[in-house]
Amino acid sequence: MRQGWRGRVALAALLAALLPRAEATPEAPVASPVPSSSAPAAPPIAEVSITAPEPRYVAPTLRDRLGRIWAPVYLNGKGPFRLVLDTGASHSAIIAKVAADLELPPAGAMLLHGVTGSATVAYVTVNTFVVGDMETHDQELPIVPDALGGAEGVLGMEGLNDKRISIDFMHDKITIMHSHGQHAEDGYAIIPLTRTANGLLMARAYVRGIRVKAIIDTGAQVTVANPALLAALRTKHSYSDMKPSLITGATDDVQPGEDTAMPPVSLGPVTINSSFITFSDLDIFERWHMTKEPAMMIGIDTLGLLDKMVIDYRRMELQVRTRHNYYY
């Protein structure tokens, strides 16, 4: 979390970057046992809802103080557990307290790739994993440090390939349901999406006329860009007013970054005027092979400036509407 210009930028919610793909290591030793407790959850700032075709799965969600969305997830029939909806994460994860509450012993270890590094962590296996109309079985969930700002884990995108996620930032509402391939409503701009090799959602963006690979990441607290974008921007502007910051990933590794005022970001016909951006040579950019060309992870601090946003996985579209219902 930012604390002025010199604060730490906590990106534990960036399990987008954290989990482009969890790699299982069968029968690997577990470094430490699952603790039985964790820090108390942060209070929510608003109540929203998640809707599915089957009424038995309708349940409220919460939007936390960082603007991220907590979705209610049922594990082995228990819950709901509050997991951060993370469009940048290809795999879900939980904190140790959830595993302890479910009385699940570690089933092995897997390699967890974080924004700032990699680490071997324990994982557990749940018989059922239910959110909305999505239900999976025998799912392996890595255990991540309890640094998610009150959330109990991360809801990744592994089961949402045929879903439509609608987020109303003005009224703090979210709907997750089956996509029927419907077109965008009037007043929405359409931004084509592609999937990276790791399953992440990527759009073409422009910053001061510079083409940028942009990962759409609702789980990220802040927007982060690679040094290649900074170098390109410096051909147009000095960017001398940079303030140091620190970035902490899910593996608890820390990397330095630099904060500065963020230029407008253009996504198709929509331009978002955000406030700050952090530039950092993150380990995850190297792992994603995004070091030579300008790239960024657009976080909830920027996406939350929109009025409404729809991610349609079937159509592979980002449908957005601005606060004043026009494109500027």
Side-chain angles (χ1 to χ4, degrees):
M1 170 187 318
R2 295 182 196 273
Q3 298 177 355
W5 283 108
R6 296 176 295 278
R8 294 169 65 91
V9 180
L11 295 182
L14 274 179
L15 292 177
L18 310 183
L19 295 166
R21 192 64 181 168
E23 300 174 8
T25 306
E27 301 180 0
V30 179
S32 60
V34 178
S36 59
S37 63
S38 64
I45 62 172
E47 182 173 339
V48 297
S49 63
I50 178 169
T51 305
E54 296 84 359
R56 67 192 178 97
Y57 291 136
V58 175
T61 67
L62 300 173
R63 195 164 172 224
D64 70 11
R65 58 188 172 81
L66 303 178
R68 303 168 309 173
I69 300 154
W70 289 346
V73 177
Y74 293 84
L75 305 174
N76 291 350
K78 298 180 180 180
F81 297 100
R82 298 170 300 181
L83 272 60
V84 172
L85 176 67
D86 193 342
T87 59
S90 65
H91 203 87
S92 299
I94 57 175
I95 62 173
K97 182 179 183 300
V98 174
D101 290 344
L102 295 173
E103 300 181 347
L104 292 174
M110 63 170 56
L111 185 61
L112 176 68
H113 299 303
V115 291
T116 54
S118 301
T120 299
V121 300
Y123 72 85
V124 296
T125 302
V126 295
N127 295 327
T128 59
F129 184 107
V130 176
V131 57
D133 63 343
M134 182 188 81
E135 180 172 350
T136 60
H137 300 271
D138 300 324
Q139 185 164 337
E140 295 174 350
L141 298 175
I143 298 175
V144 295
D146 187 2
L148 299 177
E152 296 173 298
V154 169
L155 174 61
M157 298 295 102
E158 64 266 39
L160 299 178
N161 288 333
D162 60 346
K163 302 300 187 294
R164 179 181 175 89
I165 302 174
S166 178
I167 303 171
D168 184 340
F169 291 106
M170 294 295 287
H171 298 94
D172 294 330
K173 294 182 179 179
I174 175 175
T175 303
I176 302 177
M177 60 192 305
H178 280 291
S179 169
H180 300 291
Q182 60 265 49
H183 294 283
E185 298 177 6
D186 292 342
Y188 282 76
I190 299 174
I191 301 160
L193 297 172
T194 58
R195 298 291 285 268
T196 69
N198 294 318
L200 303 175
L201 295 176
M202 185 168 67
R204 179 188 300 177
Y206 288 89
V207 179
R208 293 200 186 280
I210 299 167
R211 182 173 172 173
V212 183
K213 294 180 177 179
I215 302 298
I216 306 301
D217 190 355
T218 61
Q221 177 186 340
V222 297
T223 297
V224 185
N226 67 358
L229 176 56
L230 178 58
L233 287 171
R234 277 179 166 159
T235 65
K236 302 174 180 293
H237 189 277
S238 63
Y239 284 93
S240 57
D241 187 23
M242 306 285 288
K243 304 298 181 181
S245 63
L246 295 174
I247 298 174
T248 304
T251 58
D252 280 344
D253 295 301
V254 178
Q255 284 189 243
E258 292 183 293
D259 294 343
T260 190
M262 183 175 181
V265 177
S266 296
L267 292 165
V270 176
T271 298
I272 306 174
N273 293 293
S274 189
S275 53
F276 299 108
I277 187 171
T278 299
F279 290 98
S280 179
D281 188 12
L282 291 176
D283 178 81
I284 201 65
F285 284 131
E286 178 72 29
R287 188 168 295 280
W288 282 346
H289 306 291
M290 290 184 176
T291 57
K292 297 182 179 179
E293 299 177 279
M296 65 192 306
M297 294 179 288
I298 302 181
I300 202 68
D301 60 332
T302 299
L303 296 173
L305 297 175
L306 297 167
D307 178 8
K308 294 183 179 180
M309 180 178 79
V310 174
I311 299 174
D312 194 310
Y313 280 84
R314 186 180 295 276
R315 295 183 63 88
M316 285 306 294
E317 287 180 352
L318 180 66
Q319 304 166 4
V320 302
R321 193 173 78 178
T322 65
R323 289 287 166 93
H324 302 290
N325 199 22
Y326 63 86
Y327 314 140
Y328 58 105

